Amino acid sequence: MILNKYITKLFYKKPILCSFILLVSCGKANKNSNINSISESKEISTSNKNNNLKWELPELSQEEKENLISSVKTVFNDFYVNRLQKITDYNYDALKEANKLNIEMSSDELLKKTMSIFINIRDLHTDFEYPLPARCIIGGFPLNVDLSYDSNGKNEKLIISEKLTDKPDFEDEDDNLNYNDLQLNDEILSISNFGIEAFTPNEILVKNAINELGKYTRGSNIDAFKTRAIESFFSRNGAYMKTPEGRFTINVRKSDNSIKKYSFPWVIKKSDLDICDSSKNKKINFKNKSYFFKLKKSNKQEKFSSFYKLSKNKSNENISMKIVEHDNEKYGIIRLEMFIPSGEYDENNYLAVRQKIHEEVNMIRKFVLENNEILSGIIFDVRNNGGGYGSYPLLIANMFTHKFVKNMKVFPLVSQTNSDTFYNLEMSRFFAREETSDELPKPILDTYAEMIYFINNELTKELVKKRELLLKPADRFDGDENDSLPPNYSKKETEILKPIYTEKPIAVLTNSNCYSSCDDFTALFKDYKIARIFGETRHTGGGGANLIEWKDFLIPVVIDDIGTKSPLIPDGKPLPKGSEIRFAWNKVKRENNSKDEQYIEGIGVISDYINKPTSYDILNDDESIFNKIMDDMGNSKNPKKFYLNR
């Protein structure tokens, strides 16, 4: 047997993709976020009146250290699918570093070394959250900032884009007066005591501050690196880094070009996570649970701004749609906050979730159908959309083309532990759906069988041992029924997939905070030649994988017909004191033949055209950016080459 008959090389230096001999499809399987503050009645305060809040890492017992080390090593030895790409991209081997963790390390050293591994791979789908009490601390200041540019996309500035309160109540009245003196569009030039552990408290230029903070915020490409840092400039989540303390100073350029210096206190808040509530009589807060589920599913963190009612999170609705008149033509603008349905529902009931997804997609269909004749084009705004369910973008994309926009293909790392996990996953899936309205005829064990073949094959054993073997991209189940379309869906027979708007221009407006399923959405519209991609940045966020949380792998599931229960990961260990790990499990392959854009991870989706925001755009709902796109859509010569007759 010739090995090359079964393996294909990836574009990186090392990884190898393998296909099974009889491979069969296994049926796979912000502008501003609408995830609002969950507590409308809580007191909003800019002061540090709760002085007992302090970011600190706990002491771990011997057993807790062993469990943490075992879990991290298992993730990077047996599951993490992007390791070889990260070696190529950043010259960093997470497996090698994970294997250096040892029981002799102090608790502080072990926890910080673990965090550094997850930070250095720059993968938002793969993260570690510190244990309590650090995880319960949110630090920051009630300002949001953005990068603005001149009309030529030059002259980058960091400006104040939002003040989170109009009634500051700092303990020092001078701080209240100074806060009120700050104005939107003020340019921040420098900052001292930036609040990064072991980093200089001295004054540094904003550019240097962004570069330093970006090292901790895990943006996978040059644009995401910067965008993530800006998002965290005045908002630090203690689950990922030490929160700032004391006072900071900023130099600000005012509208009259004068420069003023301000000093303010860093403010500390307590996370709204249920595990951070130490009250003895606490009750399960289902609204709270839903809020944090949506944060996780859309790859977002609890932000400092969530504690302020004036934050621009204007609506709990996931979709907003409007018709705009421009140069005597009408255009539809559809804003998608995330690919997770609005409202409250049982996130563990995949059929209930599917129904909610369909309801929202049908809202879009209804809007398009009712206005089909009058709309000269449609713009989808997915900036800062952190993602969600993978089927959501597929359903939307299908209504704008006669082609069948199919499930995106994914592929995992080959290891014995991963094969056992896929076996348990598929068996539990089969038994969970028995005697329901959505039964499976039999367990779908294709992925498991592929792995076993290569684990036992003499020609591939060494590659498996080195963790350098990946399966061939295929339509695989990833643990979430709503990350793909059901196998019985078809373009001809499934009403929600039928095309309804295929002859007029479509544009997608995005940026480097468009992540995960939002990356998928943008990739689908580009790869299937549905829309032209307009970006505030050149890259989207670059998160191209299905992910899983460690705690989900530890839940016992039924794996045979006599009711035997097993966690998905054999012998998985619990993480200490409320810490958490999640990781990229199956890598996404795009539907194109591009040499540079085969995969989403890292590079993201490259914009066809770039419109960097001016300060006017930032402060006026991006009016000029939308006008430029509508100008292009209305040009009869079609200079931007929109795809028509799809």
Side-chain angles (χ1 to χ4, degrees):
M1 179 172 57
I2 301 173
L3 182 60
N4 287 341
K5 181 178 179 181
Y6 303 102
I7 59 179
T8 308
K9 291 186 178 179
L10 267 175
F11 72 93
Y12 332 123
K13 186 166 57 178
K14 288 188 176 183
I16 297 173
L17 291 160
C18 290
S19 63
F20 192 41
I21 295 177
L22 298 174
L23 185 61
V24 180
S25 169
C26 62
K28 177 183 172 178
N30 326 330
K31 189 73 177 175
N32 298 295
S33 169
N34 74 315
I35 306 177
N36 290 334
S37 174
I38 52 167
S39 179
E40 291 297 328
S41 61
K42 66 186 177 187
E43 180 182 356
I44 306 301
S45 172
T46 53
S47 70
N48 272 327
K49 294 175 182 176
N50 197 347
N51 291 322
N52 62 339
L53 291 178
K54 183 177 177 60
W55 188 94
E56 58 185 357
L57 297 175
E59 282 296 316
L60 303 181
S61 68
Q62 181 92 351
E63 182 181 8
E64 287 172 330
K65 286 184 180 180
E66 290 173 352
N67 287 351
L68 177 59
I69 292 169
S70 171
S71 301
V72 175
K73 287 183 177 180
T74 298
V75 166
F76 290 110
N77 277 275
D78 297 311
F79 293 111
Y80 182 54
V81 74
N82 291 324
R83 170 187 162 241
L84 296 171
Q85 179 180 346
K86 301 303 179 177
I87 293 174
T88 300
D89 290 352
Y90 312 128
N91 194 29
Y92 187 84
D93 188 346
L95 185 152
K96 181 179 177 181
E97 297 303 317
N99 287 339
K100 292 179 182 178
L101 300 177
N102 65 81
I103 200 71
E104 301 304 320
M105 291 178 169
S106 69
S107 297
D108 190 80
E109 181 185 8
L110 176 59
L111 289 167
K112 288 181 178 177
K113 179 59 180 175
T114 298
M115 181 61 74
S116 73
I117 295 171
F118 286 84
I119 285 173
N120 285 323
I121 57 175
R122 292 168 60 175
D123 185 338
L124 280 188
H125 279 144
T126 305
D127 61 42
F128 171 64
E129 293 182 65
Y130 279 132
L132 308 180
R135 189 179 175 188
C136 292
I137 304 300
I138 310 292
F141 191 73
L143 292 177
N144 281 338
V145 292
D146 279 294
L147 290 175
S148 73
Y149 302 84
D150 62 24
S151 58
N152 296 314
K154 308 292 184 184
N155 193 25
E156 181 178 274
K157 297 178 181 179
L158 184 72
I159 66 167
I160 296 174
S161 56
E162 184 179 14
K163 296 175 71 175
L164 299 178
T165 179
D166 56 4
K167 295 179 180 178
D169 63 343
F170 298 105
E171 293 179 358
D172 188 329
E173 184 58 30
D174 286 343
D175 292 332
N176 294 324
L177 294 172
N178 285 333
Y179 183 83
N180 288 330
D181 191 54
L182 292 173
Q183 301 298 318
L184 300 187
N185 205 29
D186 281 354
E187 179 189 0
I188 300 177
L189 303 173
S190 63
I191 186 169
S192 63
N193 189 27
F194 191 41
I196 297 177
E197 190 173 20
F199 187 65
T200 178
N202 298 332
E203 181 180 352
I204 56 172
L205 296 175
V206 156
K207 179 180 179 180
N208 296 334
I210 293 170
N211 286 338
E212 189 62 29
L213 187 55
K215 296 174 184 177
Y216 294 84
T217 52
R218 298 178 294 124
S220 64
N221 57 58
I222 188 171
D223 291 323
F225 180 93
K226 188 177 291 187
T227 303
R228 296 281 300 176
I230 298 303
E231 192 174 48
S232 298
F233 203 89
F234 286 117
S235 179
R236 316 285 175 79
N237 191 311
Y240 305 100
M241 64 189 303
K242 189 177 187 299
T243 52
E245 300 172 345
R247 298 183 68 88
F248 66 94
T249 301
I250 51 176
N251 281 317
V252 174
R253 190 191 307 277
K254 309 293 288 185
S255 59
D256 62 2
N257 219 33
S258 64
I259 296 176
K260 294 185 70 172
K261 179 174 285 191
Y262 298 91
S263 174
F264 294 108
W266 287 110
V267 180
I268 301 298
K269 300 288 185 182
K270 183 179 179 181
S271 169
D272 276 312
L273 278 167
D274 283 340
I275 61 172
C276 298
D277 183 357
S278 58
S279 60
K280 293 181 180 179
N281 298 318
K282 66 181 179 182
K283 298 180 180 179
I284 296 175
N285 184 334
F286 291 102
K287 186 176 181 182
N288 193 43
K289 182 174 178 287
S290 176
Y291 167 72
F292 281 100
F293 167 80
K294 290 177 181 178
L295 276 182
K296 281 285 188 184
K297 187 69 177 173
S298 61
N299 302 285
K300 294 181 181 291
Q301 303 174 7
E302 187 179 10
K303 291 183 181 179
F304 192 76
S305 60
S306 69
F307 296 91
Y308 293 87
K309 292 179 180 177
L310 285 187
S311 177
K312 284 182 182 176
N313 300 332
K314 297 175 182 178
S315 170
N316 281 318
E317 294 305 312
N318 186 40
I319 302 172
S320 59
M321 297 175 286
K322 62 182 179 181
I323 296 174
V324 175
E325 190 162 342
H326 181 75
D327 284 350
N328 298 318
E329 299 286 345
K330 290 183 172 65
Y331 299 91
I333 297 179
I334 301 174
R335 167 69 190 160
L336 297 169
E337 299 286 352
M338 65 183 79
F339 292 107
I340 305 172
S342 305
E344 295 179 35
Y345 43 87
D346 183 0
E347 295 94 357
N348 295 315
N349 182 338
Y350 74 89
L351 291 175
V353 175
R354 183 177 295 167
Q355 180 179 345
K356 283 286 188 179
I357 293 172
H358 281 218
E359 287 174 4
E360 291 198 346
V361 172
N362 279 322
M363 285 170 53
I364 298 174
R365 289 182 68 88
K366 183 174 184 289
F367 172 80
V368 174
L369 283 169
E370 288 179 349
N371 299 287
N372 198 322
E373 296 301 319
I374 66 170
L375 293 180
S376 297
I378 295 173
I379 303 172
F380 280 97
D381 180 6
V382 293
R383 291 169 298 170
N384 301 329
N385 180 321
Y389 293 103
S391 63
Y392 205 137
L394 291 161
L395 292 168
I396 296 175
N398 268 290
M399 73 176 79
F400 297 102
T401 177
H402 286 91
K403 298 176 184 176
F404 183 20
V405 182
K406 299 177 290 185
N407 292 330
M408 300 187 83
K409 295 178 179 178
V410 299
F411 53 104
L413 174 71
V414 178
S415 75
Q416 184 63 56
T417 300
N418 210 3
S419 71
D420 293 342
T421 300
F422 268 100
Y423 177 85
N424 288 346
L425 175 72
E426 287 292 359
M427 294 302 291
S428 68
R429 181 192 187 199
F430 172 76
F431 287 109
R433 287 169 59 168
E434 260 193 331
E435 299 181 4
T436 71
S437 60
D438 197 31
E439 275 192 306
L440 289 170
K442 63 180 181 179
I444 303 171
L445 298 174
D446 301 58
T447 300
Y448 165 75
E450 289 178 67
M451 286 199 185
I452 293 301
Y453 171 81
F454 289 112
I455 288 168
N456 294 324
N457 191 309
E458 290 297 329
L459 296 176
T460 53
K461 275 185 177 180
E462 191 62 25
L463 291 172
V464 173
K465 183 178 179 181
K466 292 179 179 179
R467 300 301 189 261
E468 294 181 2
L469 201 62
L470 306 175
L471 294 184
K472 185 177 180 180
D475 188 1
R476 306 176 192 277
F477 178 56
D478 72 339
D480 193 322
E481 298 282 2
N482 287 305
D483 274 346
S484 59
L485 300 176
N488 62 333
Y489 278 30
S490 71
K491 193 76 173 181
K492 183 178 180 180
E493 301 296 334
T494 308
E495 188 66 28
I496 200 169
L497 300 181
K498 292 180 179 179
I500 59 173
Y501 190 90
T502 61
E503 297 180 354
K504 298 177 185 178
I506 304 283
V508 173
L509 177 58
T510 185
N511 64 7
S512 52
N513 249 347
C514 163
Y515 197 77
S516 192
S517 293
C518 185
D519 280 306
D520 294 349
F521 178 90
T522 310
L524 292 170
F525 273 68
K526 184 174 184 178
D527 294 346
Y528 282 87
K529 293 181 169 50
I530 298 169
R532 285 298 181 182
I533 312 304
F534 292 79
E536 289 186 337
T537 53
R538 183 168 185 262
H539 304 264
T540 57
N546 301 129
L547 65 112
I548 194 79
E549 284 200 3
W550 185 258
K551 65 181 179 183
D552 293 334
F553 268 6
L554 301 185
I555 299 172
V557 292
V558 175
I559 60 171
D560 61 30
D561 55 7
I562 62 172
T564 303
K565 286 191 173 184
S566 169
L568 291 178
I569 300 179
D571 303 318
K573 307 295 183 184
L575 295 168
K577 292 181 167 60
S579 55
E580 187 53 85
I581 288 173
R582 64 177 195 162
F583 54 90
W585 190 24
N586 289 286
K587 193 179 189 72
V588 173
K589 166 75 170 60
R590 286 176 60 180
E591 192 74 22
N592 67 50
N593 296 314
S594 167
K595 179 181 178 182
D596 299 323
E597 292 189 73
Q598 286 283 295
Y599 307 96
I600 289 173
E601 180 60 39
I603 192 172
V605 181
I606 304 299
S607 300
D608 295 316
Y609 307 101
I610 301 172
N611 292 319
K612 292 187 176 182
T614 63
S615 59
Y616 179 85
D617 289 320
I618 291 169
L619 301 177
N620 292 276
D621 297 323
D622 308 288
E623 179 182 310
S624 66
I625 290 179
F626 283 103
N627 285 341
K628 287 177 184 177
I629 297 174
M630 289 185 285
D631 285 340
D632 293 329
M633 286 182 161
N635 190 325
S636 60
K637 295 182 179 179
N638 193 17
K640 300 299 188 189
K641 295 181 171 57
F642 288 101
Y643 302 111
L644 310 177
N645 301 314
R646 297 179 296 275

